[in-house]
Amino acid sequence: EAGVTQFPSHSVIEKGQTVTLRCDPISGHDNLYWYRRVMGKEIKFLLHFVKESKQDESGMPNNRFLAERTGGTYSTLKVQPAELEDSGVYFCASSLGTGGLNTEAFFGQGTRLTVV
Amino acid sequence: AQSVTQLGSHVSVSEGALVLLRCNYSSSVPPYLFWYVQYPNQGLQLLLKYTSAATLVKGINGFEAEFKKSETSFHLTKPSAHMSDAAEYFCAVSDPNTGFQKLVFGTGTRLLVSP
């Protein structure tokens, strides 16, 4: 069974440009999460989808970030326009449920975004 | 609000030595607690989790952690380090009402294992 897949694995863009990150969750997982780790700091929650609906987007830093999950399958996270402080590693995770004792969130390997 | 503190951004041990990675949490409700590991060029992998059952939790690869409410701690241990344990380890907490929906992570501890 394929795990959570993210691409690209690395992206280097100039300040002011647009970048779109993609996440393919594990098949059948209705719950999809985006997290971000800025260099040397903690991994922070960005948002949570249940199928195609945004359940919680309280962690989105500002309106330059737009997340979508059309059809409830893969998700994209667009940053437009990118700023230097957006650099970091963006993780995607998916889970079958949201909190049961046997539920686990599976993480992708992340996309390392560098804004120069 | 919940928070996690991991003492030591880097921990160095010799192969065969005890591994102890520290995690203290702050939570207004009895929390769920997790340890994740990230090996080079891989995603985060769940090592173990505490969800209000047994306070001593055993995970994969010989790791275990003990929930100590009085100390608000959830330290990760392994009796004997292997070279393959070199990785970055993250402690995380969540409100049981939200479960995996919104994990709050610590800043991570990189474990270095020397021969």
Side-chain angles (χ1 to χ4, degrees), chain A residues 5-114:
Chain A
T5 307
Q6 293 185 247
F7 47 94
S9 57
H10 294 83
S11 179
V12 181
I13 63 170
E14 292 185 352
K15 176 182 173 180
Q17 288 187 323
T18 298
V19 63
T20 300
L21 314 181
R22 173 166 169 152
C23 170
D24 285 71
I26 293 173
S27 177
H29 281 194
D30 286 341
N31 296 274
L32 187 148
Y33 317 85
W34 283 98
Y35 286 82
R36 175 175 76 168
R37 188 187 191 195
V38 172
M39 181 72 74
K41 296 194 175 180
E42 68 272 27
I43 300 169
K44 283 193 172 180
F45 169 85
L46 295 179
L47 87 159
H48 169 214
F49 283 99
V50 177
K51 297 185 180 179
E52 67 276 7
S53 298
K54 292 176 185 175
Q55 182 78 9
D56 182 349
E57 51 184 327
S58 60
M60 294 287 266
N62 52 60
N63 59 11
R64 294 186 294 102
F65 289 75
L66 176 64
E68 295 180 322
R69 192 182 183 196
T70 307
T73 54
Y74 70 90
S75 174
T76 58
L77 180 63
K78 181 189 287 187
V79 185
Q80 179 182 29
E83 298 289 344
L84 297 179
E85 63 265 25
D86 301 332
S87 295
V89 180
Y90 290 76
F91 290 101
C92 176
S94 71
S95 70
L96 198 56
T98 58
L101 294 180
N102 296 316
T103 296
E104 178 179 344
F106 294 86
F107 282 78
Q109 65 183 50
T111 293
R112 182 175 296 277
L113 174 65
T114 303

Side-chain angles (χ1 to χ4, degrees), chain A residues 33 35 37 40-45 48 55-56 58 91 95 97-109, chain B residues 32 34 36 38 41-46 49 51-52 88 90 96 98-108 110:
Chain A
Y33 317 85
Y35 286 82
R37 188 187 191 195
K41 296 194 175 180
E42 68 272 27
I43 300 169
K44 283 193 172 180
F45 169 85
H48 169 214
Q55 182 78 9
D56 182 349
S58 60
F91 290 101
S95 70
T98 58
L101 294 180
N102 296 316
T103 296
E104 178 179 344
F106 294 86
F107 282 78
Q109 65 183 50
Chain B
Y32 283 179
F34 311 84
Y36 281 85
Q38 185 179 24
N41 301 315
Q42 295 186 27
L44 296 169
Q45 181 181 2
L46 182 65
K49 62 184 178 185
T51 55
S52 72
E88 193 161 17
F90 297 90
T98 58
F100 284 99
Q101 291 177 28
K102 191 184 289 188
L103 297 171
V104 175
F105 285 89
T107 51
R110 188 169 296 278

Side-chain angles (χ1 to χ4, degrees), chain B:
Chain B
Q2 296 168 313
S3 66
V4 172
T5 301
Q6 291 185 242
L7 286 177
S9 59
H10 292 78
V11 170
S12 295
V13 299
S14 299
E15 193 172 20
L18 171 71
V19 175
L20 170 61
L21 305 182
R22 298 179 185 275
C23 172
N24 288 87
Y25 69 90
S26 171
S27 178
S28 58
V29 298
Y32 283 179
L33 292 158
F34 311 84
W35 275 99
Y36 281 85
V37 60
Q38 185 179 24
Y39 298 104
N41 301 315
Q42 295 186 27
L44 296 169
Q45 181 181 2
L46 182 65
L47 267 180
L48 50 80
K49 62 184 178 185
Y50 166 76
T51 55
S52 72
T55 56
L56 182 62
V57 182
K58 294 187 183 297
I60 60 172
N61 301 338
F63 284 93
E64 63 181 37
E66 185 173 8
F67 171 68
K68 292 188 176 180
K69 183 178 178 180
S70 61
E71 298 177 9
T72 60
S73 69
F74 191 58
H75 302 330
L76 182 71
T77 60
K78 182 174 180 178
S80 176
H82 293 175
M83 296 296 291
S84 60
D85 294 327
E88 193 161 17
Y89 293 78
F90 297 90
C91 182
V93 64
S94 75
D95 182 331
N97 292 323
T98 58
F100 284 99
Q101 291 177 28
K102 191 184 289 188
L103 297 171
V104 175
F105 285 89
T107 51
T109 297
R110 188 169 296 278
L111 177 65
L112 308 169
V113 183
S114 57

